[in-house]
Amino acid sequence: MAFVEIDHVTKHYDALEVISDFSLAVDEHEVICLIGPSGCGKSTLLRCVNRLEEISSGEIRIHGDRITGPGVDLDRLRRDIGIVFQGYNLFPHMTVLENAVLAPTKVLGMGRREAEEKAMAFLERISLSHKANDYPDRLSGGQQQRVAIVRALMMEPMLLLLDEITSALDPELVSEVLDIVRDLAAGGMTMILATHEMGFAREVADRICFLQAGKVYEQGPPAEVLGNPQGERTQAFLRSLRKAGRL
Amino acid sequence: MTDQLILEQQDEAGRAAIWRARRSTRTYRGRAGFTLLLAAVTFLVVAASAQHIGGYAVSQGVSSLIAALPGIVAAIAAAFVLGMAASAFLKSLAASRNDDVYAARALGDEASTRSWKALAWIGALMIVTGGAWFMVVNDAAVSRTFFDLALIRDSVGKVLRAFGTNILIFSVSAVFILAWALVIALARTLPGAAGRPLRVLAIAYGDLFRGLPAIITIYLIGFGLPLTNLPFLSDLSTTSYAIIALTLTYGAYTSEIYRAGIEGVHHSQVAAARSLGLSHAKTMRYVVVPLAMRNIIPPLMNNCISLQKDTALVAIIGAIDAFNQAKIIAANNFNLSAVTTVAILFIAVTIPQARIVDKLSERDRRRMRAGG
Ligand SMILES: Nc1ncnc2c1ncn2[C@@H]1O[C@H](COP(=O)(O)OP(=O)(O)OP(=O)(O)O)[C@@H](O)[C@H]1O
Ligand SMILES: [Mg+2]
């Protein structure tokens, strides 16, 4: 039994079918990269996994336990599934440290001092401890995004969803964010990432899924999907990336 | 620094067990039980009240059908709520007995939703019952003073005609206010040193008329201007004075709404417009004001409602508006029911606008959600 099983999931917005009969199984410690053209449903899929969006049919299971359908305690579920957004979404009225300790103290009931120590340890590792008492608007985009990742990690999630976490960043800031993800992958964190960074996907992913019109069009190890794609659409997508100089 | 970012490590089976332990099924027994108890109490209170109040109404000569009807409706509603609470409790029991975890979760979910629904109904029923008691205590002093149906019926024609004055004052001043306030708001947002004199004047105006109670402005203008013997200004009708006073007062408030809207437009939009070579005036005209309009329509509508109500203040300078007319009737009859008629009229014209404001804010919220 796989860790995360996305089983024949369909999602409509009114008449528009964004995800159609989508199935994917993710093992523990696996890093999955979702790639594909804009609008193919990557973000929607990630948001369905922690139920920010409701799926229309199918089911999603984690450790064999169905997390879709009525009566699932969403607040508890989301403690264990971290998500990081493209736009960081740090709370602008709180310092870096306050952002990090909010959920552990208010949701898990962790003591303030313990939470702060833990947050400082994380911030130390991403070399941002000197910014702990600054407000987010004083940080660069890359720094903000790293804090956003730390904020998610503070809850010790079992699964981490990352939605194009570098696409709002300048190229020179991208690498510092990707370093963290690389560390997490090496540490065994299970992650599903939507990304446009093919070089990074090739390096960090155990498996790459190319999405096309809400379906897995082609999947496999990075070397195969990126190096020797079988599907016509995948080839076209990669060709267009190459033409744009992004591969 | 591998694996340093993940603090705890356990084997896979351990993690799966933790996961499942955290996914316990909630049956919401406590909430459903509490709701059931409260629903039973509510039913008893409503039924007893309905009987008592209905009996009293009959003793006062109200026909027994009309007296009993509201009580019966309330009692049926209470019984319905009791049923809802009971079904919530049963669902919760079924949830804890069901071995299939998914079915149990679905049952628990239903128990929870139904409990909340029942609780909301209980709150509403209790408030309505309290209101009914308020009407009949002390030998129905409240309903006699405010709701003498015969007097309401007789006075409605006169009051309605006088209400025309309120509508006239309201509609004319609304138009003036919208235009006048925009002028003030634009003056307040004039940039740079060149704009300072007008800016200061606009600020002074705003401070003055927001600080001055509307009733005093109306009084000063309504009684003061006629004494000045100025040509034209000293021999207008009381209605016109009312319009001038309300325009001055509300112009100050409304210009603040405009200004908040204008300044709420993100500076990047201004930068974009200016970078295309649009002047300050053109940026305002084509970009800022249209963008601001969207955000300010709900607060403007609220202001509108408030203006409509404040037209009743003109009674103080002797304009025969609905309130003044009703006061005359009330004084002649030693009973306030004619004023109740005015109250009902004001409420009746306000409700549709309040709903429009709700709609607009809801639409805005939806757009924000879609955007975010
Ligand atoms: N709230 C919504 N209502 C209606 N349609 C939506 C909504 N959110 C997303 N969509 C549509 O769903 C489709 C998939 O959107 P999604 O954001 O998942 O794409 P994506 O793969 O993440 O794209 P990108 O790479 O540009 O981020 C798009 O066609 C989008 O227009
Ligand atoms: Mg996306």
Side-chain angles (χ1 to χ4, degrees), chain B residues 178-266:
Chain B
L178 286 179
W180 174 234
L182 185 58
V183 172
I184 302 295
L186 290 175
R188 270 210 74 162
T189 47
L190 282 179
R196 179 164 301 135
L198 285 175
R199 212 161 56 220
V200 168
L201 215 53
I203 291 172
Y205 166 78
D207 289 352
L208 182 62
F209 281 95
R210 268 188 305 159
L212 209 52
I215 195 163
I216 295 183
T217 311
I218 293 171
Y219 194 89
L220 287 176
I221 290 190
F223 286 135
L225 281 185
L227 297 179
T228 59
N229 284 327
L230 290 170
F232 180 69
L233 277 181
S234 60
D235 38 38
L236 293 170
S237 64
T238 42
T239 308
S240 311
Y241 290 130
I243 290 171
I244 294 173
L246 285 173
T247 304
L248 286 172
T249 301
Y250 272 83
Y253 281 109
T254 311
S255 75
E256 284 303 302
I257 296 179
Y258 279 134
R259 189 167 70 99
I262 288 172
E263 288 175 357
V265 173
H266 201 264

Side-chain angles (χ1 to χ4, degrees), chain A residues 28-29 62-66 70-73 76-77 80 118 122 125 156 158 180 183-184 186-187 189, chain B residues 1-9 12 15-16 18-20 22-24 26 101-102 105-106 109:
Chain A
E28 272 203 305
H29 312 307
I62 296 188
H63 283 306
D65 178 60
R66 191 172 81 200
V72 174
D73 191 341
R76 295 226 52 167
L77 174 73
D80 294 326
K118 185 171 168 185
F122 274 129
R125 276 181 221 133
E156 295 182 13
M158 298 184 168
I180 299 187
D183 283 335
L184 286 170
M189 175 66 85
Chain B
M1 57 185 240
T2 11
D3 91 2
Q4 283 172 326
L5 283 167
I6 302 170
L7 296 184
E8 270 171 69
Q9 294 284 334
E12 172 158 9
R15 276 190 304 272
I18 293 173
W19 178 272
R20 271 193 287 274
R22 290 188 190 169
R23 299 282 95 62
S24 56
R26 296 189 63 179
V101 63
Y102 301 126
R105 275 183 199 162
D109 189 47

Side-chain angles (χ1 to χ4, degrees), chain A residues 163-237:
Chain A
D163 188 4
E164 290 181 34
I165 51 170
T166 57
S167 62
L169 299 180
D170 291 335
E172 62 268 31
L173 299 179
V174 167
S175 68
E176 59 187 33
V177 172
L178 294 186
D179 279 343
I180 299 187
V181 179
R182 209 171 278 128
D183 283 335
L184 286 170
M189 175 66 85
T190 314
M191 287 183 284
I192 308 179
L193 307 89
T195 186
H196 288 298
E197 302 281 340
M198 295 306 145
F200 175 68
R202 182 199 304 271
E203 177 197 330
V204 79
D206 297 307
R207 187 148 45 108
I208 288 187
C209 295
F210 176 74
L211 268 60
Q212 164 70 33
K215 275 196 164 73
V216 179
Y217 181 79
E218 180 168 354
Q219 61 171 314
E224 279 175 30
V225 176
L226 297 179
N228 182 23
Q230 301 301 310
E232 205 174 294
R233 303 277 187 150
T234 323
Q235 289 164 0
F237 177 68

Side-chain angles (χ1 to χ4, degrees), chain B residues 5 22 36 40 70 92 104 109 143 152 158 185 222-223 243 258 295-296 320 343 348:
Chain B
L5 283 167
R22 290 188 190 169
L36 185 57
S92 160
D109 189 47
S143 28
I152 290 182
K158 264 187 179 169
F223 286 135
I243 290 171
Y258 279 134
N295 296 332
I296 64 174
I320 301 298

Side-chain angles (χ1 to χ4, degrees), chain A residues 38-44 46-47 86 163-164 167 194 196:
Chain A
S38 187
C40 67
K42 303 182 290 293
S43 302
T44 308
L46 292 180
R47 294 165 68 87
Q86 172 178 351
D163 188 4
E164 290 181 34
S167 62
H196 288 298

